Amino acid sequence: MNTQNKPTKKTKDSLNIAKDTVFGRNLKDVIKPSKDSIPNDSIVKPKEVIDGIITHDAEDYTIQDAKNKTITLYNKARVTYTDMDLKAGIIILDYKNNTVYAKGIKDSLGYHQRPQFKQGAQESEQDSILFNFKTKKALIYGVKTVQSDIITYGTKTKRVNDSTVYMRKLRFTTSQKEIPDYYIATSKAKLVPGKKIIVGGSNLVLADVPTPLYLPFAYFPLTDKRSSGFIIPTWGDSNSQGFFLQNGGYYFAVSDYFDLTVLGDVYTNGSWGLRADSNYYVRYKFSGNFSVRFENIIQGIRGLSGYSKSSNFNIRWSHSQDAKSSPNSRFSASVNLGSSQYYSQSLNEFNNSQRLTNTLSSSISYYKKFVGTPFNMNITATHQQNTNNNTISMTFPSLQVNMDRIFPFAGKGGVKKNPIQKMGLNYSMSGQYSINTTDEEFFTEKMFREAQAGVQHNLSTSTNIKAFKYFTLSPSVNYKDVWYFRQIRKHYDPDVTNSQGNLGAVVNDTLRGFTRFHEYNFGASMSTNIYGTFNFKKGRLKAIRHTIRPTISYGYRPDFANAHNLQVRQSSVATDFLTYSPFEGGIYGGPSSGLSNSISMSVNNVLEAKVAPKDPDSDEEDEKVTILNNLNFSTSYNIAAESFRWSPVSASAGTRLFKDKMALNVNASFDLYQLNEDGERIEKINPGLLRLTNVGVTANYSISSKDFEKKDENEKEEKDNGNGAQNTPDVFGQDIPNTNAFGNNGIGDGEDNSSKTKVAKLYKAKIPWSLNLVYAMNYSKPGNVGNISNNSLMFSGNVELSPKWKVGFSSGYDIKNNAFTFTRLNFSRDLDSWRFNFNWTPFGRNSAYYFFIGVKSSVMSDLKWDKNKPPDRVLF
């Protein structure tokens, strides 16, 4: 080696020389103008190989070999050129062959500072790399790259250009461990960075153990954007439909704003199903999803008595608007519409809450605030469906116009001092087009023919007056005007058979045309607040405060029905008449019948305590504790009634116990009148206690392992929602998503689905757990005999056996019928880069199980195995 090429310490001069040269050529010589005498040389100069500035640096030393035209960088070396950035332990620049070679440093600590190559958005880590500046080709050994969550390991890699890479003895996985949980091994592959990986024959390796699962070829898309592609179906079998393939289809990445998924199911007994799901999202404006599902279900064998064929459908739509997109208007939708038996008969829908609640509901609404006026408008379309009796109720649509409270007699600047100035005026208008029908008559001519329409106007005014220094008197007047567009007329037809099977019945005739009625009422209420405080001198309990809010009100409403009621003969007897209202069956009912002249009374009680802190020398403030949230009593007395003027006394109470962990609510009803021997009410007041006619008790209790842990001083305690329970217990269990979403949706675990590895402690390991209890009981005694209509205890919870094992359960016990309610068990195991889920409904008519194990990453979501056993058909 020449003496001038001996290693030298990094000095200011040497660094400047290194950074001011391009492969040994001085930059001044490169940019030095030519002195050729020919002004326009006909010889075309060759294009420079290096079209950018190369900068390099190293921590220990930089060696320049002028004879061999190389530069050697040692320890934390770095070279940058255009969009290329190379870091390694050792880098050798060969400006004679236009190449750069990088490798790590091998010493007593092992092989470290492996080369890290970055070009544009592509990054890789390898054992060594040889890159040619002229051809843009590279030869890489022991490469590790990350493409769209797929980590690839290649023994030997040849980079042809920026868009094509060939690999030998390749392994690719989504596991981030040094020793991957799994990988797919192949002898050769072609990688197009950011687009795709195409591999030859490959097989799955689990924990370095090859499996017999083999693929002759495979294609993996690599893109940050959504891409269209096939969805692999799952298989299974059931007693009623036989073997089946479910959730197979195609995903359409239509645009950046919405997509479309089309899936299908096929069963060996002839049943089939189709589904279409779409998601859409426009940033800062709105988002939502839409799905249509149809199933053709065959039960039994054609020709036998048990054979049946049915079709079910379901339409769901959810839409939400960004509040910032339009502050004065908003549009929202939540639609769940379909066949009444869809959730109970579906072969690929496992929605527990819908199966058990037996109701479907929808709502589409548009709200508009008219700026500069006190008016706002709300247009809604609603749908209510009872899946037990197959009845459907819809408002299609409903218009609501409201006027904010105005004070027409207020003084200058809105001053409201006297009762006249405090008088406020409210107005509202609602119009409805209401439909009541059944599944069979849905969207038929009869459904629209029997639809009801109407408009109602409400106008009210009220004020408040200070009376007797401590009381507030609030008089009010209300006016209602109702418009209809049809009314009924009844007539007696002697040739029609009545409900008893005899000839002669009353028949309704519908008369089209505008009609209306109105009514009004006025009243006044008086209320005050009474405070009582009991102070204590000893102990932590400092005081108890009792707040009483009594209210007495008076209301008067004339009889408006007599002015509109009509009469019709209802039998063959000429003097047997039936009184009816021509507005019978209207949306807003008919005019109020009977004179109402009543006095109402109510008392509300709140009991609170003030407790001093445990440490008397601390700076903590006294704690306010609620003993009773409410203790309410109410009743009324109708002066105009001929009998039973006193209404039942209603009572309710609520409190929170055990540091707000338990919410207890009790409501009851008491009758002031006595019963005769037959259990009928008689107009005699009970001389003693009030007679209990109904009582209901509900209690919610939530507890977890966190309640027994020491809380951080800065940690804020979780507050409840006012009902005493911090979270509503999930007594129905989690809904089961379709199998395509199984791997990326934890079943009842509430965890994120990232591939972050959890660490399990072997000593003093914590076992987090939670338990939710709900108790409900209702007792009624309208006559001499009482009975308990409901008495049940429901419970649910989770136990985290380890950071990676979680068990959940939800069930209940019907104490009255001595039987368990709907029960579900779920097991979840975090397998680092994989996820395992097992859900089991052990008994009941919905008994079933659902098993899944698969890769977490969405890129490898097709690498899974799932099996489900849907609920069996009930034969007896």
Side-chain angles (χ1 to χ4, degrees), residues 361-429:
S361 61
S362 305
S363 175
I364 303 174
S365 65
Y366 173 75
Y367 171 82
K368 173 69 175 178
K369 170 69 175 177
F370 298 96
V371 181
T373 71
F375 293 95
N376 62 77
M377 177 188 68
N378 195 15
I379 302 176
T380 61
T382 62
H383 151 259
Q384 296 288 334
Q385 186 171 351
N386 190 314
T387 59
N388 282 335
N389 54 25
N390 298 340
T391 58
I392 301 174
S393 299
M394 296 190 299
T395 57
F396 199 73
S398 172
L399 172 64
Q400 185 81 23
V401 177
N402 297 303
M403 182 186 74
D404 296 337
R405 186 179 179 88
I406 62 173
F407 298 89
F409 305 108
K412 292 183 179 180
V415 176
K416 296 181 284 291
K417 294 183 178 180
N418 55 56
I420 300 299
Q421 293 177 339
K422 293 179 181 179
M423 183 177 295
L425 185 67
N426 294 87
Y427 169 78
S428 67
M429 185 273 286

Side-chain angles (χ1 to χ4, degrees), residues 417-489:
K417 294 183 178 180
N418 55 56
I420 300 299
Q421 293 177 339
K422 293 179 181 179
M423 183 177 295
L425 185 67
N426 294 87
Y427 169 78
S428 67
M429 185 273 286
S430 64
Q432 284 188 21
Y433 182 78
S434 178
I435 297 174
N436 292 295
T437 184
T438 62
D439 272 9
E440 296 179 356
E441 299 173 356
F442 189 62
F443 272 100
T444 62
E445 182 183 356
K446 184 179 180 181
M447 183 188 82
F448 294 100
R449 186 174 65 250
E450 296 182 353
Q452 298 278 348
V455 178
Q456 177 176 278
H457 303 267
N458 290 284
L459 184 66
S460 64
T461 181
S462 62
T463 185
N464 61 81
I465 305 169
K466 204 69 176 178
F468 308 110
K469 191 176 180 179
Y470 299 105
F471 294 89
T472 301
L473 180 64
S474 302
S476 62
V477 179
N478 300 281
Y479 175 82
K480 179 173 73 173
D481 198 280
V482 177
W483 298 352
Y484 286 137
F485 304 96
R486 71 178 187 178
Q487 56 182 316
I488 64 170
R489 288 292 188 271

